[in-house]
Amino acid sequence: MSTRNNLKNSLLEFGFTANEAQVYLALLELGSSTAGPLIAKTGLHRNVVYTSLQHLKERRLVTEASKRGKKNFTAVSPVILEEEFEQKARSAKKLTQNILQNLKPAAEEITIHQGNEEYLQLLTGILKAMPKGSTKYVIGTGGEEFMAATMRPIWKKYHQTAKAQKIKIKMIGYENQRSTLENDIRREGIYEMRYLPDEIENPAGVHVYPEIGTILNIIYSDKHKPVTTIRIKNKQLAEGYLNFFNNLWKIGKE
């Protein structure tokens, strides 16, 4: 595999889409550039290049300046990725600590599960416990790295169980995950999706099962660490997260 392909695959692990990785690498090679040379170098459609540049600007990986009436784009050092993911790790730790600290006295049961096998057993077991025709609510989901490390290996069995129970899933994702999620999720026919701006993205996700008073807090896997899930059985908490989901759903975009 070429060095460029290795770099591209590494960027995918850090939340880049394939198009964003291609544009970013091309911009690193070109230096400061207008959109025209980027379009020519990547071979991507003009709209795709501009969309990728916008997402990269939002992640502070590309800067924009106007020169002689034309927009010039410059790639920022990838060192900023370290800062981004260190912040996400801190946020995940803080979120988990807050949930456990604030809810432990009222929680009927808290259990921690780790690894794909336990994650699959947990998800399918909860789905089977739900009334047929129920709705599951998901606030946030992992990107391509989580999909590759955890979701794709369990995808078929998980969705077989959901469909057998006639479960519908309402999910809120993030704009930078739209292309990945659309390909994997739309074809299943049991999802409703909306997307929030990337700046709201959280490094952990929450699954809400209001009918059985259960929530799952998911700390996403990657190639270095397995998926970790905190299950909390607490009816009031589940109802609170359902209200939170409904408020986010109103501001999400289809």
Side-chain angles (χ1 to χ4, degrees):
M1 185 178 291
S2 68
T3 300
R4 185 180 180 84
N5 284 336
N6 283 333
L7 289 172
K8 182 177 180 180
N9 289 335
S10 295
L11 291 175
L12 295 179
E13 295 174 1
F14 282 90
F16 286 67
T17 66
N19 291 334
E20 289 165 4
Q22 193 171 344
V23 169
Y24 183 67
L25 290 174
L27 193 54
L28 283 172
E29 294 176 5
L30 290 171
S32 183
S33 173
T34 58
L38 277 174
I39 294 169
K41 188 170 183 62
T42 61
L44 297 173
H45 189 277
R46 179 183 183 87
N47 290 343
V48 172
V49 169
Y50 274 106
T51 298
S52 297
L53 286 169
Q54 180 60 35
H55 289 167
L56 292 169
K57 285 194 298 178
E58 290 170 358
R59 292 184 69 179
R60 298 182 297 147
L61 288 162
V62 167
T63 60
E64 177 186 319
S66 182
K67 295 182 181 179
R68 298 176 183 174
K70 291 187 177 181
K71 292 182 179 180
N72 276 256
F73 303 94
T74 303
V76 176
S77 169
V79 170
I80 199 169
L81 289 172
E82 295 182 29
E83 300 174 6
E84 177 182 338
F85 280 84
E86 285 174 359
Q87 177 60 44
K88 287 185 176 182
R90 289 193 294 269
S91 297
K93 185 176 181 179
K94 183 177 180 181
L95 174 64
T96 301
Q97 290 174 341
N98 285 341
I99 289 176
L100 293 176
Q101 181 179 8
N102 295 330
L103 298 171
K104 189 173 182 179
E108 299 172 11
E109 179 183 349
I110 297 175
T111 57
I112 299 176
H113 308 260
Q114 194 168 69
N116 287 1
E117 184 174 351
E118 286 197 30
Y119 189 52
L120 175 61
Q121 291 175 354
L122 184 61
L123 290 181
T124 55
I126 291 175
L127 291 178
K128 290 176 181 178
M130 295 173 68
K132 283 196 173 184
S134 299
T135 300
K136 168 182 176 177
Y137 302 85
V138 180
I139 305 171
T141 184
E144 178 58 33
E145 191 169 12
F146 174 66
M147 292 293 293
T150 294
M151 285 310 301
R152 291 198 179 99
I154 70 171
W155 189 268
K156 184 176 181 180
K157 290 182 179 179
Y158 168 59
H159 286 90
Q160 283 177 340
T161 302
K163 291 175 183 177
Q165 287 293 105
K166 302 185 185 303
I167 301 296
K168 295 296 183 181
I169 302 174
K170 295 182 73 172
M171 178 181 287
I172 296 172
Y174 306 101
E175 282 294 342
N176 63 11
Q177 302 165 343
R178 184 184 286 269
S179 59
T180 298
L181 292 175
E182 291 294 314
N183 291 334
D184 288 312
I185 284 176
R186 290 295 185 185
R187 63 172 176 260
E188 295 297 339
I190 63 173
Y191 287 85
E192 286 184 66
M193 286 293 309
R194 289 192 181 179
Y195 297 89
L196 297 174
D198 297 341
E199 59 266 27
I200 303 178
E201 186 176 359
N202 192 297
V206 177
H207 296 190
V208 186
Y209 307 86
E211 289 91 347
I212 57 173
T214 297
I215 69 160
L216 301 181
N217 182 236
I218 317 299
I219 301 174
Y220 303 133
S221 57
D222 58 30
K223 64 181 180 181
H224 301 296
K225 63 180 185 299
V227 61
T228 299
T229 309
I230 302 168
R231 181 184 67 172
I232 304 175
K233 295 181 67 176
N234 184 290
K235 185 175 178 61
Q236 290 74 28
L237 177 63
E239 291 175 351
Y241 266 108
L242 179 59
N243 290 335
F244 180 50
F245 176 96
N246 288 331
N247 288 330
L248 291 176
W249 188 259
K250 292 176 183 177
I251 64 175
K253 295 182 179 180
E254 296 183 2

